Amino acid sequence: MTLSSPMTNSLRTQPDTDGHFGQFGGRYVAETLMPLILDLEKEYRRAKTDPAFEEEFQYLLRQYVGRPNPLYFAKRLTEDLGGAKIYLKREELNHTGAHKINNCIGQILLAKRMGKTRIIAETGAGQHGVATATVAALFNIPCTIFMGALDVERQAPNVFRMKLLGAEVRAVESGTRTLKDAMNEALRDWVANVHDTFYIIGTVAGPHPYPELVRDFQSVIGKETREQIMQAEGRLPDMLVACVGGGSNAIGMFHPFLDDTDVEIVGVEAAGRGIELGDGHHAASIAGGAPGVLHGNKTFLLQDEDGQITDAHSISAGLDYPGIGPEHAWLHEIGRARYVSVTDDEALEAFQKLCRLEGIIPALESAHALAAIEKLAPQMGKDKIIVVNLSGRGDKDIFTVAKALGVEI
Amino acid sequence: MTVQSDRISSTFAKCRAEGRAALVCFVTGGDPTPQDTAAVLDALVEGGADLIELGMPFTDPMADGPAIQLANLRSLGAGTKTADILAIASTFRQRHPETPLILMGYANPMIRRGAEWFANAAAQAGVDGVICVDIPNEEDAELGPALRASGLHFIRLATPTTDAARLPAVLQGSSGFLYYVSVAGITGKQQAAQTSIEQAVAHLKSGTDLPIAVGFGVRTPEQAAAIGRVADGVVVGSAIVEIVGQHGAHAAPHVKEYVASLRAALEIRETAR
């Protein structure tokens, strides 16, 4: 599909009033939750036009999260790749070490506005759980984090962090005992506690208005990037690259650039051990999935011919989810963004390379975006510019990486 | 009205004429294996179930408690496919030409091959209606038009959060009966207070002429009888699924005995009056 007159027909006005991004998105939830998410939408509309809300959000991003974070020119990485200039958006320098906190600040402010007295959240690797536990502590609201029992075992340091921050961590034993089951369990809890509980969803998925509001809170990434690249280069970049699990860091980076059709947009899915190996070996919903309905929205899902959800796999726990945010599904369908995939091994290589060349330990999630530019940057001229979203830092991943490299620590 | 849609309304009418609530029983299809389900369904009918809800297993049953979650896992673990569920429905219809059969489950398995495909296949298998947990009125276009075109009822759920402002949306496009989920929560856990059920049924009755069936957390004959005094139907699911879980391939006689105890409790209403 070609994009005609983007300025008069903006791509930045999605979703429609029913929460659809083209055929994707929507509100596929149990009836018990419908009144609640309709309320949330109303409250979010009010908050969006309330200067006091925006002011408090900006204050906390500045003074608590440490924004704006730098857009850093990676000179040695650029030289190594021998093509386009590489800039890194340093989300990993945020408080709690990733982009997740941007969204959590926004949602806890909404929870407070709605008078909710209890917070729940799901987490995979634990990054969103830590960010949620952090804001819950800051606002003195009790908080329960649902985490797959398998992830609780794999991510012990983050479990301890959440507990230090005062959160209750509930290990989910159902299903495959990973992120999707944690989300199922969070939804079950929410249905039973609608009167007092606010569900802080960690990515641009779930029922409307979550994909929209999480995107809006994360869009600070792209807005800062625009200003910073104009300052550094006097023009917009030629390409944006970000990793995509649910896709919140990516959409936060992409959204402010959607109408700038000269800016190429590339999302990077996790190919795990290889997409060609089939179900259970990768987490690439667009490359290896099909449209379907799960967790409140319609999007690309890993599923079998009967619509049963199949297991995702990625070395990066944050990308280990069988779906993708509905706005990404739509951007893929209309051709505005391109989605590529990167294997565990490629991500591991890129992880180590950034450590050595730039003195930055990236999250394994972000290492997927770095691996993608290994192929993209050398094909572009030295006058071209790529911005990579360095969505998180890799301290949490050193055990996983050591194990993959056969090192005992 | 088609023959299929008649089964549900004529069953509720028959029960009303007998002065009692209809007994609606749920089991997960393919639990513990697809081969075992026919005997369980027969046991439900023989025990006195008036309407049957046949659960379509799903990997991610978000609205279900532990009992039905485990049943879904057992069924999928035995390799149950959508084709098996349709075959179970089809052979049930041959054995039981009068008993309404409703498919209940989640959206994704229903729309995977297209809503029209599913609606046609279900209608051909002799299914009367569909309950889809995660398609509220707002997303009706995903499944509703296809079901109605095939002469199937789209049975909607009302809940304790369905207030007067919300009720018209729930009722729009729904037919067959209205399923009142008596607790804000998941299946099989706690039971709602009788007074809250009575108020809710009265509230729903003010908005619709559809029969109201009440479920979630109903376990004992006493509970069933109490709900039967105010509602048109009583839905029992998790308690039956637990019996199947406990006795596996040999569950049928136990299911029949339990269902008969529920049915007997519903019958008492008439003699008590």
Side-chain angles (χ1 to χ4, degrees):
Chain A
M1 188 172 163
T2 55
L3 298 163
S4 56
S5 57
M7 297 318 288
T8 53
N9 191 8
S10 175
L11 298 172
R12 299 179 59 226
T13 56
Q14 301 286 317
D16 67 17
T17 49
D18 292 320
H20 294 113
F21 302 85
Q23 64 157 320
F24 301 107
R27 290 179 279 225
Y28 296 86
V29 293
E31 179 58 34
T32 311
L33 293 178
M34 273 309 300
L36 196 69
I37 64 171
L38 292 172
D39 270 359
L40 173 61
E41 189 186 345
K42 259 187 253 162
E43 195 60 45
Y44 179 56
R45 299 270 168 261
R46 271 187 228 124
K48 249 179 137 168
T49 55
D50 179 356
F53 182 86
E54 179 66 14
E55 196 180 317
E56 192 171 7
F57 182 56
Q58 292 300 338
Y59 170 82
L60 287 167
L61 288 184
R62 201 168 54 240
Q63 300 296 336
Y64 188 70
V65 176
R67 304 201 72 96
N69 56 46
L71 181 68
Y72 164 73
F73 173 53
K75 185 159 171 286
R76 293 193 65 209
L77 181 61
T78 299
E79 285 166 6
D80 178 82
L81 294 176
K85 291 176 81 169
I86 311 297
Y87 281 86
L88 302 177
K89 181 58 177 163
R90 301 287 303 273
E91 289 299 308
E92 103 282 9
L93 293 176
N94 293 341
H95 178 43
T96 71
H99 69 290
K100 292 288 185 190
I101 189 85
N102 303 328
N103 166 49
C104 289
I105 297 270
Q107 288 199 50
I108 197 113
L109 290 175
L110 277 178
K112 202 179 75 167
R113 271 180 84 95
M114 295 179 79
K116 300 294 181 184
T117 54
R118 176 174 175 260
I119 296 294
I120 59 169
E122 85 293 341
T123 195
Q127 293 307 98
H128 175 59
V130 168
T132 302
T134 298
V135 297
L138 181 65
F139 282 82
N140 191 26
I141 304 179
C143 159
T144 301
I145 306 292
F146 294 89
M147 189 169 184
L150 195 64
D151 291 331
V152 169
E153 289 164 25
R154 292 193 290 197
Q155 306 286 340
N158 270 344
V159 173
F160 186 59
R161 280 186 192 103
M162 288 183 264
K163 288 179 177 169
L164 281 175
L165 292 161
E168 177 201 0
V169 180
R170 230 177 268 175
V172 176
E173 297 284 354
S174 61
T176 54
R177 305 159 78 227
T178 58
L179 175 56
K180 81 177 172 74
D181 308 290
M183 195 148 181
N184 290 335
E185 207 58 33
L187 285 165
R188 289 180 188 121
D189 181 288
W190 200 26
V191 155
N193 297 287
V194 283
H195 56 289
D196 67 351
T197 297
F198 190 99
Y199 181 11
I200 297 189
I201 292 183
T203 191
V204 283
H208 178 64
Y210 280 100
E212 176 187 346
L213 67 87
V214 175
R215 174 200 71 199
D216 291 348
F217 294 140
Q218 291 293 2
S219 290
V220 63
I221 302 170
K223 286 176 197 158
E224 282 179 13
T225 299
R226 271 186 92 92
E227 282 179 24
Q228 290 166 324
I229 198 73
M230 289 304 290
Q231 215 157 37
E233 296 280 350
R235 69 178 185 89
L236 295 181
D238 298 285
M239 184 185 281
L240 304 172
V241 181
C243 65
V244 182
S248 69
N249 90 82
I251 212 78
M253 167 71 88
F254 299 165
H255 193 259
F257 292 91
L258 288 182
D259 289 335
D260 303 293
T261 47
D262 289 342
V263 179
E264 198 181 343
I265 292 176
V266 180
V268 185
E269 295 191 294
R273 291 180 281 259
I275 292 169
E276 68 286 353
L277 293 175
D279 292 349
H281 292 281
H282 66 87
S285 310
I286 284 182
V293 168
L294 181 70
H295 292 154
N297 64 131
K298 187 176 191 183
T299 188
F300 279 87
L301 300 172
L302 302 182
Q303 55 181 320
D304 70 10
E305 74 283 359
D306 273 346
Q308 305 297 347
I309 306 305
T310 52
D311 293 348
H313 163 79
S314 169
I315 191 170
S316 146
L319 303 180
D320 201 347
Y321 178 73
I324 185 169
E327 192 162 12
H328 287 292
W330 176 70
L331 291 172
H332 163 72
E333 194 168 75
I334 65 168
R336 176 62 187 101
R338 177 155 68 98
Y339 293 83
V340 301
S341 55
V342 155
T343 63
D344 289 349
D345 289 344
E346 291 167 330
L348 271 171
E349 283 296 320
F351 177 98
Q352 296 170 81
K353 185 185 246 188
L354 196 73
C355 294
R356 288 193 304 263
L357 289 181
E358 298 288 350
I360 298 171
I361 303 176
L364 273 172
E365 290 80 9
S366 322
H368 283 71
L370 294 165
I373 64 167
E374 292 278 327
K375 289 170 202 153
L376 298 168
Q379 295 167 12
M380 296 164 70
K382 293 190 174 181
D383 56 333
K384 301 291 185 187
I385 301 166
I386 298 177
V387 176
V388 178
N389 196 11
L390 198 60
S391 54
R393 62 172 169 250
D395 306 51
K396 69 183 173 63
D397 293 316
I398 55 170
F399 303 102
T400 306
V401 172
K403 196 174 161 204
L405 298 177
V407 178
E408 279 213 34
I409 52 175
Chain B
M1 280 256 140
T2 64
V3 175
Q4 286 156 0
S5 57
D6 275 344
R7 280 193 206 103
I8 292 178
S9 54
S10 62
T11 298
F12 276 103
K14 179 179 75 92
C15 293
R16 197 173 301 126
E18 292 173 10
R20 64 175 177 90
L23 178 58
V24 186
C25 292
F26 171 95
V27 287
T28 300
D31 172 29
T33 76
Q35 292 73 39
D36 295 316
T37 301
V40 174
L41 294 179
D42 290 350
L44 294 177
V45 175
E46 289 161 18
D50 297 296
L51 296 89
I52 307 277
E53 293 176 3
L54 179 63
M56 295 179 66
F58 184 45
T59 40
D60 295 80
M62 286 152 286
D64 284 299
I68 296 179
Q69 286 176 41
L70 288 171
N72 277 277
L73 288 179
R74 288 193 297 266
S75 173
L76 293 172
T80 304
K81 302 287 181 194
T82 299
D84 295 314
I85 299 297
L86 292 167
I88 288 167
S90 183
T91 54
F92 175 86
R93 180 51 69 227
Q94 286 161 19
R95 296 192 308 280
H96 305 280
E98 304 298 327
T99 309
L101 183 67
I102 295 146
L103 289 181
M104 180 167 185
Y106 293 82
N108 205 46
M110 294 183 185
I111 63 171
R112 180 65 171 109
R113 294 176 175 85
E116 288 75 17
W117 181 91
F118 172 71
N120 277 329
Q124 282 187 4
V127 167
D128 301 285
V130 169
I131 301 173
C132 184
V133 174
D134 50 351
I135 297 193
N137 175 49
E138 279 73 2
E139 304 297 343
D140 183 77
E142 196 68 58
L143 187 60
L147 294 181
R148 290 186 277 273
S150 292
L152 294 173
H153 289 292
F154 197 0
I155 296 152
R156 286 255 172 68
L157 305 153
T159 75
T161 60
T162 309
D163 58 16
R166 178 70 191 158
L167 185 56
V170 171
L171 291 170
Q172 194 179 39
S174 75
S175 64
F177 63 92
L178 187 62
Y179 185 154
Y180 178 63
V181 172
S182 62
V183 288
I186 52 178
T187 54
K189 297 292 253 192
Q190 69 277 52
Q191 189 218 349
Q194 179 68 15
T195 50
S196 77
I197 292 174
E198 287 172 13
Q199 285 163 8
V201 171
H203 159 59
L204 297 174
K205 288 264 177 198
S206 70
T208 181
D209 293 330
L210 288 176
I212 313 288
V214 176
F216 272 48
V218 185
R219 293 189 162 266
T220 66
E222 292 72 29
Q223 289 171 340
I227 292 170
R229 280 191 279 276
V230 296
D232 303 301
V234 180
V235 189
V236 180
S238 294
I240 297 169
V241 167
E242 280 170 15
I243 294 171
V244 176
Q246 192 184 344
H247 298 284
H250 310 289
H254 303 278
V255 167
K256 182 179 168 185
E257 187 188 345
Y258 172 68
V259 170
S261 73
L262 296 171
R263 173 64 184 266
L266 292 178
E267 302 276 357
I268 290 168
R269 180 189 184 188
E270 196 180 24
T271 52
R273 281 197 169 177

